[in-house]
Amino acid sequence: MTFTRRTILRGGLAMGAMTALPRLSFAAQTLEMGSARLDTLSDGNLVLPIGFVTDNPEAKPILEKYGITGDSVEPPCNVTLYRDGTNTVLFDVGSGNDFMPSAGKLMEAMDALEVAPDDVTHVVFTHGHPDHLWGVLDDFDEPFFANAQHMMGKDEFEYWLNPETLDTIDDGRKTFAAGALRRLEILEDQIDTFGDGAEILPGIMAQMTPGHTPGHMSFHIKNGNTQAFIIGDAIVNHYLAFAAPGMEAGSDQNPELGAKTRVALLDQLATDKLPIIGYHLPEGGLGRVERDGDAYRYVPEV
């Protein structure tokens, strides 16, 4: 496998008196997988209160070790693009224009790779949170990836499509539920669903990783002798989730189940030594898991 890290310029040039400097850039990564290629594409970043990470005071030394001392965090958002010569697959689609001004930048990243929305043959969702789903429709509520087959885990799809979810989800996520319901109602006849363990496309296996959401899915990709694992938000950061995987996370809808899933998944990934792609991991989101005593550490491929 060959890893490539690149910095893509975004937003043109800011002209100074003596020189032209790039106005904004983001890190991205490429993993060559035999005859296929996997790229991470930045959708920008989120700005979240620290409570979305944890409100457990025992986390403070770990957070301080990573320089997190304020009351907010700004996780990156890494969409995965997989191309095998036949299929052009997006795993998640970013936030679109309706969630946060710091996110919704996927089209700029796709432009940098000269991939058009109409080139995408499949859109596969890890789960239905805004930063993964809301970019699926354009400003006219039409599918942004008009030629793509859309796919979501059956449990996840049914959860967000159920009108009762809006009444049972916690108050801080009611907008998540309303936004998912509106989009999935529009796409209902165009989405194929699948279960745990399904081979959704050649060499792409679904693995249920619940807790962050009820039907969250991760994906194991194999091409020839190469493999990679897309974790979505089953592991949601590179610090606390690795150093204290059993600690409940504020971003998980079911924190107890999320921690149980995370502990098992990290053990699996450290044992199998697979490259991983994390939606909110740094440096483009591509790296690997290593054991660190009774816990783990994230090692980015840079």
Side-chain angles (χ1 to χ4, degrees):
M1 289 176 287
T2 303
F3 299 92
T4 304
R5 185 178 186 274
R6 63 194 185 281
T7 299
I8 298 177
L9 303 183
R10 175 191 291 155
L13 297 177
M15 300 300 295
M18 299 296 294
T19 187
L21 297 174
R23 198 164 59 199
L24 181 63
S25 65
F26 62 86
Q29 296 245 10
T30 296
L31 173 61
E32 300 289 347
M33 299 184 65
S35 60
R37 169 174 167 163
L38 185 153
D39 292 279
T40 61
L41 306 174
S42 176
D43 192 54
N45 67 274
L46 305 181
V47 181
L48 300 173
I50 194 65
F52 260 69
V53 178
T54 184
D55 56 8
N56 188 330
E58 295 181 9
K60 185 178 179 181
I62 299 172
L63 297 177
E64 290 178 344
K65 177 181 176 181
Y66 285 88
I68 301 170
T69 57
D71 56 7
S72 66
V73 290
E74 299 185 6
C77 299
N78 306 301
V79 174
T80 299
L81 175 69
Y82 177 74
R83 291 174 283 180
D84 64 6
T86 301
N87 299 308
T88 297
V89 185
L90 273 180
F91 291 88
D92 296 325
V93 294
S95 299
N97 298 325
D98 297 333
F99 189 45
M100 290 187 181
S102 57
K105 315 299 183 184
L106 177 61
M107 289 305 103
E108 298 170 45
M110 291 181 65
D111 286 346
L113 290 185
E114 299 182 344
V115 177
D118 286 350
D119 296 335
V120 177
T121 61
H122 298 82
V123 170
V124 180
F125 297 105
T126 61
H127 65 294
H129 278 170
D131 51 323
H132 299 254
L133 171 65
W134 284 17
V136 74
L137 300 179
D138 64 18
D139 292 339
F140 302 97
D141 280 351
E142 296 291 336
F144 205 99
F145 304 95
N147 297 331
Q149 178 181 357
H150 293 66
M151 310 174 77
M152 180 179 276
K154 185 175 185 293
D155 290 353
E156 186 76 1
F157 179 71
E158 292 179 348
Y159 173 77
W160 293 111
L161 199 61
N162 184 350
E164 294 183 3
T165 295
L166 188 60
D167 299 324
T168 57
I169 202 168
D170 65 83
D171 288 344
R173 292 182 170 92
K174 286 191 182 297
T175 56
F176 293 14
L181 177 61
R182 183 174 74 81
R183 287 161 176 84
L184 293 179
E185 282 182 332
I186 292 172
L187 293 168
E188 185 172 2
D189 294 335
Q190 303 174 49
I191 291 186
D192 290 337
T193 60
F194 54 87
D196 184 26
E199 184 174 19
I200 63 169
L201 288 166
I204 301 177
M205 305 292 293
Q207 179 174 323
M208 182 78 85
T209 47
H212 186 72
T213 59
H216 185 286
M217 286 284 186
S218 299
F219 300 94
H220 189 176
I221 301 177
K222 299 180 181 180
N223 187 280
N225 295 322
T226 61
Q227 303 180 53
F229 198 92
I230 297 172
I231 61 176
D233 280 5
I235 302 170
V236 80
N237 59 59
H238 65 290
Y239 39 93
L240 201 60
F242 286 79
M247 186 177 292
E248 294 184 359
S251 61
D252 291 342
Q253 289 184 216
N254 183 332
E256 182 178 356
L257 179 58
K260 181 178 178 181
T261 293
R262 188 162 49 250
V263 168
L265 184 58
L266 283 165
D267 179 68
Q268 172 192 337
L269 296 171
T271 298
D272 294 345
K273 297 181 171 58
L274 296 181
I276 65 170
I277 304 92
Y279 199 82
H280 296 300
L281 298 183
E283 304 293 342
L286 182 60
R288 53 192 167 87
V289 180
E290 289 186 350
R291 299 187 192 278
D292 186 13
D294 294 332
Y296 303 88
R297 59 174 168 263
Y298 173 65
V299 182
E301 296 290 352
V302 295

